[in-house]
Amino acid sequence: MKFSKALPWLPSLLILAGCPSQPPEPNPPGPRLDKISVTCTPTSLVAGQDAQCTASATDQEGAPISVEAYTWTSGDETLARVDASGKVTTAAAFSGNVAIRASARSGDSLIQGENSLAITPKSPTIHSRDVITAETWRAADNPHLVTFDLTVFMSGSLTLEPGVVVRFAAEAGLRLFDGTLLAEGTPEAPILLEGQDRVTPGSWNGLLLATTESVARLDHVTVSHCGAPTGEGGCLVINEQAAPVLRDVSVRDSGAVGVLVADDGSIFGPGSARLSVSGSKGPAIVIGANQADSLPPLGTLSGNASNAVELRGHVSRTLTWPNPGVPFVIPQPMKINGDKSLATLTISAGSVLRFGAKSLLYVGSKGFLGALVVDGTAQNPVLFTADSDQPKPGHWSGVNVMNKASNPGRISHATIEYAGEKPDSVQYPFAGPGNLTIFGDLFGVPEGANTFVMNDVVVQKSSHSGIFLTNGGSLGMGSSRLTSRDNGTYPITLEADAVPTIPQDTVFTGNGTNVVEINNGDVTRTQTWSRLSVPYLITNPDMLVGVAAPFPAATLTIAPGTTILFAPGTALWVGFGDTRGSLSAKGTSAEPIRFVADSEPAPRGHWRGLHFWYAEGSQLDYVVVANGGNASGVSSSYGILGEGALNVYREIGPFVTHSSFSQAKGCAVTVSKGDRQNTTPVTTDFFSPASNNSAGNNGSDTQCTN
């Protein structure tokens, strides 16, 4: 009984012993930053007035909470600025609504509050008369309003304080004639010249800086929304030999050209730098070619109709165009012509020159001396190209180097492309159909005067020839590493005497006809034609090797393995008439020299063959002559020509060995019987066993007498 009485409380003890302990109740959260409120006094003010803003903070329960410091910012600093204490300074020239914000960080969150200020316009300071004395326009009087074309005359000077805002009514402007304009802002307080409506491009005439006697310095100045049709053609215009100094100047939203520097001797003054142009409906910058060396280091060019420097006029003095970092655009033909002395234009490394339709660069002409120096580098080559987003061959008329001084210039590390269009034949009668055309003694310049040194140059995508050399024009000694590719006709067209100036390392590829065309001239100087990677093509109907007495005979030497193609009706003459010449064409069994037709298959007599007159010293060894001998209807002052592949009119001995003759219209070899003027009987048997010559498939596989 005693035991049973203890049972009722025993289970309770067991239950209590088996239960875990309960967690303690969490502490309530502490206050945290939840909201910032901003109050400004006053909230409505006139532009130029100040306001004081304060901030207060509350926690998640809406109770005030302390913040160590607030960060103050303005939604539009052109309207109002706020300092670290919440003091707001408004710009006297601008009006509108602006948000003033205070922010602080709570943990990883940034909490921000704001208030809006309504800024009403301030009455402008109106300027309605010209400046004829010394005037200073102050920022405290912003905004300034000009209601007409205000002029600063000789006796006047106008100073704009840092931070000045000048607005211009429709068709108003600011013009400087022989006076002084000092607009020297700072990065913190720039000067602003703008249209009254601040929206419409070309709403006012613009800023005109004129005459050599004027003094103008602009620092940290923005000129915007000018370039009206009633103005001078640009937003900021420099003319009449003015030379203003512009530093950190921006031109925005012109209705015409951004910055226009007239081709009258006007320049950017020494020390100019960081000129930026954006949003112009015309080119960003236009300047005379003769003054382009004054172009300052540029800032940003963006959003203009042409983000480029357009060059107008001609070059008549020695100067260097700097690389502005944007293209030069040359819309019209341009000459480099010195009047009384040599004018040399140097183009800096990395420059890009874009040429308008039928434009060209014309270096020297008649009595005017000009030279071109292109100083590209491997890292920064120079590009001459078409001013087109989708250029086509023949867009412009190329670089034309005319008669010049003894050292006309050079081109290094450059590409010339998309030219080849023949220009106006009246104004530019001698310009050639190539990307690059080089003339020689067209107007009596001494022999060798027009050599033009080229290294690491690419000529491509011409509608005609890549390089065109004529009238004694040639490539200068030391030229190397040329590439002529993808041109419409020939990679190089030149005269006979210029052939030795072609660098042996020239690359020819992808051209309409991948040969070197010899279209004119005779071999009048002793020379060697190297074996190139492509054949030579004779299109000159009667190419002569020879020179008249008293000069020594001209000898043409042709390297082993060379192929010379002949167009229909052409011929090679050696020592004809009163000239004396010789041909040394000594191939090898592995690398014969070939004189053949320019097409395959070709008929007998496709061309007129080889003709030897006063040709003592000539030697042909391991030579192939094919498809020559067409003399139908052709005669010389010495009578009817032979129809052989080889035609010999004077005895010069057994000068042909190990050679073959085929596909001639007449005999393989024709020799003279000596009954005509300036001929002698030719008795050499060119098919004697000792000569080891052969013939096949000619009109007659023999030696005939004519």
Side-chain angles (χ1 to χ4, degrees):
M1 296 296 290
K2 290 182 180 180
F3 181 74
S4 63
K5 288 182 179 179
L7 290 175
W9 51 264
L10 181 59
S12 297
L13 290 174
L14 295 172
I15 292 170
L16 290 173
C19 290
S21 60
Q22 298 297 317
E25 289 290 334
N27 292 325
R32 69 176 184 275
L33 178 61
D34 182 67
K35 182 180 179 182
I36 295 176
S37 299
V38 175
T39 302
C40 296
T41 304
T43 57
S44 179
L45 61 163
V46 175
Q49 290 183 336
D50 296 340
Q52 181 63 53
C53 295
T54 59
S56 60
T58 55
D59 64 13
Q60 71 274 24
E61 300 295 335
I65 187 173
S66 242
V67 172
E68 184 175 344
Y70 294 100
T71 299
W72 291 92
T73 58
S74 168
D76 186 348
E77 291 202 348
T78 62
L79 295 178
R81 296 186 179 188
V82 58
D83 67 14
S85 69
K87 181 179 179 181
V88 178
T89 303
T90 63
F94 304 104
S95 60
N97 294 325
V98 60
I100 303 299
R101 303 182 179 101
S103 61
R105 190 167 291 280
S106 176
D108 293 333
S109 300
L110 182 67
I111 309 300
Q112 180 175 274
E114 69 176 48
N115 201 344
S116 180
L117 297 182
I119 305 171
T120 56
K122 176 187 174 184
S123 297
T125 302
I126 296 176
H127 301 275
S128 57
R129 59 179 179 80
D130 292 328
V131 175
I132 58 175
T133 59
E135 291 188 20
T136 298
W137 294 2
R138 305 190 183 282
D141 298 324
N142 284 344
H144 296 261
L145 177 63
V146 176
T147 59
F148 74 118
D149 248 351
L150 183 150
T151 301
V152 181
F153 284 111
M154 182 185 302
S155 57
S157 67
L158 175 59
T159 300
L160 305 182
E161 280 189 346
V164 160
V165 174
V166 184
R167 292 180 181 149
F168 293 83
E171 300 185 8
L174 178 57
R175 305 161 67 88
L176 177 66
F177 283 104
D178 295 337
T180 299
L181 174 63
L182 303 178
E184 297 174 297
T186 67
E188 299 75 23
I191 293 170
L192 177 59
L193 310 179
E194 64 179 2
Q196 188 174 12
D197 70 359
R198 302 172 57 198
V199 173
T200 307
S203 64
W204 61 290
N205 288 342
L207 177 59
L208 172 64
L209 307 175
T211 78
T212 187
E213 300 299 326
S214 63
V215 175
R217 293 198 298 272
L218 280 66
D219 289 329
H220 293 93
V221 174
T222 295
V223 187
S224 71
H225 298 96
C226 42
T230 54
E232 300 289 335
C235 205
L236 191 161
V237 177
I238 304 169
N239 67 19
E240 296 187 32
Q241 300 182 9
V245 178
L246 311 180
R247 289 190 290 263
D248 296 287
V249 171
S250 295
V251 177
R252 299 197 311 243
D253 299 313
S254 171
V257 175
V259 178
L260 173 59
V261 184
D263 182 31
D264 59 6
S266 299
I267 62 171
F268 294 100
S272 295
R274 298 174 299 280
L275 173 64
S276 297
V277 186
S278 62
S280 300
K281 294 190 178 300
I285 300 172
V286 174
I287 187 171
N290 219 28
Q291 285 76 43
D293 56 341
S294 75
L295 192 71
L298 297 181
T300 300
L301 303 187
S302 64
N304 303 284
S306 173
N307 291 316
V309 177
E310 183 176 304
L311 302 177
R312 296 180 180 176
H314 305 289
V315 174
S316 62
R317 64 186 185 89
T318 293
L319 73 156
T320 297
W321 289 348
N323 176 11
V326 297
F328 288 113
V329 171
I330 302 173
Q332 301 293 330
M334 180 181 295
K335 296 178 180 179
I336 305 173
N337 281 347
D339 187 2
K340 297 180 180 179
S341 60
L342 174 66
T344 300
L345 172 63
T346 299
I347 297 175
S348 301
S351 297
V352 175
L353 285 73
R354 297 169 61 98
F355 289 82
K358 297 188 178 181
S359 180
L360 58 82
L361 191 60
Y362 203 71
V363 185
S365 62
K366 292 192 177 181
F368 299 98
L369 299 179
L372 176 65
V373 173
V374 180
D375 276 338
T377 66
Q379 296 75 26
N380 293 291
V382 173
L383 175 62
F384 296 77
T385 189
D387 185 28
S388 171
D389 293 332
Q390 296 181 321
K392 295 180 180 179
H395 179 90
W396 60 295
S397 298
V399 177
N400 287 263
V401 181
M402 306 298 292
N403 68 310
K404 297 149 34 95
S406 59
N407 182 21
R410 63 183 180 271
I411 300 180
S412 300
H413 291 284
T415 295
I416 308 173
E417 62 184 16
Y418 293 112
E421 172 69 19
K422 192 74 170 66
D424 180 273
S425 60
V426 174
Q427 189 173 7
Y428 300 95
F430 304 109
N435 275 332
L436 173 65
T437 298
I438 301 177
F439 287 79
D441 55 355
L442 182 63
F443 302 109
V445 175
E447 179 181 304
N450 278 38
T451 56
F452 204 84
V453 179
M454 300 173 62
N455 300 106
D456 300 285
V457 175
V458 176
V459 287
Q460 62 185 15
K461 298 180 173 63
S462 168
S463 58
H464 290 87
S465 297
I467 298 175
F468 193 88
L469 308 178
T470 188
N471 289 98
S474 62
L475 302 178
M477 183 179 298
S479 294
S480 63
R481 299 178 300 280
L482 304 186
T483 298
S484 187
R485 64 191 179 205
D486 303 327
N487 298 292
T489 57
Y490 305 105
I492 299 180
T493 295
L494 74 176
E495 297 174 338
D497 271 347
V499 169
T501 69
I502 301 173
Q504 287 184 259
D505 58 3
T506 300
V507 175
F508 309 92
T509 180
N511 300 285
T513 305
N514 221 33
V515 300
V516 172
E517 183 196 23
I518 304 171
N519 74 333
N520 203 354
D522 300 322
V523 175
T524 63
R525 297 190 289 270
T526 293
Q527 58 192 260
T528 297
W529 290 4
S530 301
R531 179 183 179 182
L532 302 175
S533 61
V534 297
Y536 298 99
L537 169 64
I538 307 294
T539 59
N540 177 15
D542 295 294
M543 197 185 83
L544 169 66
V545 179
V547 63
F551 299 100
T555 298
L556 172 60
T557 300
I558 299 175
T562 299
T563 295
I564 300 181
L565 306 176
F566 289 84
T570 58
L572 179 60
W573 304 73
V574 183
F576 178 77
D578 61 351
T579 68
R580 303 294 182 267
S582 64
L583 176 64
S584 176
K586 298 166 67 175
T588 67
S589 59
E591 294 184 323
I593 296 171
R594 302 172 67 242
F595 298 88
V596 297
D598 67 345
S599 63
E600 291 183 358
R604 290 177 178 174
H606 178 84
W607 59 292
R608 290 157 55 193
L610 304 179
H611 299 262
F612 290 82
W613 297 76
Y614 293 94
E616 287 78 4
S618 295
Q619 187 171 1
L620 277 61
D621 192 27
Y622 289 103
V623 164
V624 174
V625 185
N627 300 98
N630 185 357
S632 299
V634 179
S635 64
S636 73
S637 57
Y638 301 142
I640 302 298
L641 301 178
E643 293 185 341
L646 174 69
N647 303 273
V648 184
Y649 302 94
R650 296 179 63 87
E651 180 63 69
I652 55 177
F655 69 101
V656 183
T657 53
H658 304 99
S659 298
S660 66
F661 306 93
S662 62
Q663 293 288 332
K665 183 176 181 180
C667 298
V669 176
T670 298
V671 297
S672 174
K673 57 186 177 183
D675 60 349
R676 285 180 291 165
Q677 181 182 2
N678 289 322
T679 65
T680 66
V682 177
T683 60
T684 298
D685 180 3
F686 290 98
F687 291 103
S688 69
S691 67
N692 200 27
N693 295 320
S694 62
N697 203 26
N698 299 283
S700 174
D701 292 336
T702 60
Q703 176 172 310
C704 303
T705 301
N706 180 11

